[in-house]
């Protein structure tokens, strides 16, 4: 598949996700037995496929992790998170890019996230912001 075909497919896929996914998303509280469906993308100058995701609360305690790779060929994911909280950090690990291992961890921090309308983006910029927030916990 040529790059322009991939970009066109990616745009169509994203459009379908925006229109179809709200029917499958349910918002839940912080009950650890409940599940909330979230969607997003992992990228670093291109999609990161086959990445595992780890969700942590604001204090850094893990609340949910995927048992199998969560991102598809285009770096997208649509998963049910157990114990979802509107304030969280999500990290993507052990993925690949263009068939080669991607050795870095990417992450993003979210506050007051609404899974019914929000999309999680995990990339280099969100990783830099997350590292900044680690060093400056008084910032928002």
């Amino acid at each position: 598949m040529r790059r322009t075909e991939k970009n066109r497919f990616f745009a169509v896929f994203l459009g379908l996700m925006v229109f179809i996914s709200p029917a499958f998303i349910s918002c839940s509280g912080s009950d650890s037995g409940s599940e909330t469906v979230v969607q997003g993308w992992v990228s670093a100058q291109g999609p990161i496929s086959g990445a595992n995701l780890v969700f942590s609360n604001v204090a850094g305690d893990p609340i949910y992790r995927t048992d199998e790779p969560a991102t598809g060929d285009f770096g997208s994911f649509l998963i049910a998170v157990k114990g979802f909280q509107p304030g969280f950090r999500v990290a993507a690990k052990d993925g690949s890019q263009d068939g080669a291992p991607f050795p870095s961890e990417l992450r993003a921090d979210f506050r007051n996230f609404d899974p019914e309308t929000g999309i999680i983006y995990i990339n280099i910029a969100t990783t830099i912001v997350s590292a900044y927030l680690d060093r400056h916990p008084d910032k928002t």
Side-chain angles (χ1 to χ4, degrees):
M1 194 181 280
R2 292 187 317 226
R3 188 138 185 98
T4 57
E5 290 172 339
K6 281 185 179 179
N7 289 343
R8 198 171 302 136
F9 178 81
F10 179 74
V12 170
F13 180 76
L14 178 60
L16 287 173
M17 290 295 294
V18 168
F19 289 109
I20 294 172
S21 62
F24 297 104
I25 296 176
S26 64
C27 187
S28 65
S30 60
D31 178 14
S32 62
S34 65
E35 293 182 341
T36 301
V37 177
V38 295
Q39 63 181 337
W41 304 91
V42 181
S43 64
Q45 293 184 337
I48 305 298
S49 61
N52 292 315
L53 300 176
V54 177
F55 287 79
S56 303
N57 62 20
V58 179
D61 304 317
I63 55 174
Y64 181 77
R65 74 181 61 236
T66 58
D67 295 328
E68 297 178 5
T71 59
D73 291 342
F74 295 101
S76 63
F77 61 89
L78 181 66
I79 60 172
V81 176
K82 296 176 184 168
F84 176 82
Q85 299 173 10
F88 63 95
R89 170 177 286 174
V90 60
K93 305 176 184 183
D94 304 325
S96 63
Q97 185 175 43
D98 294 327
F102 187 79
S104 300
E105 174 184 296
L106 298 172
R107 61 187 190 198
D109 291 39
F110 294 88
R111 302 297 179 262
N112 301 315
F113 182 81
D114 181 358
E116 289 189 24
T117 58
I119 298 175
I120 296 170
Y121 293 98
I122 307 168
N123 53 48
I124 295 169
T126 62
T127 303
I128 292 169
V129 170
S130 183
Y132 177 84
L133 291 173
D134 282 348
R135 290 194 171 91
H136 302 90
D138 57 318
K139 304 295 182 188
T140 60

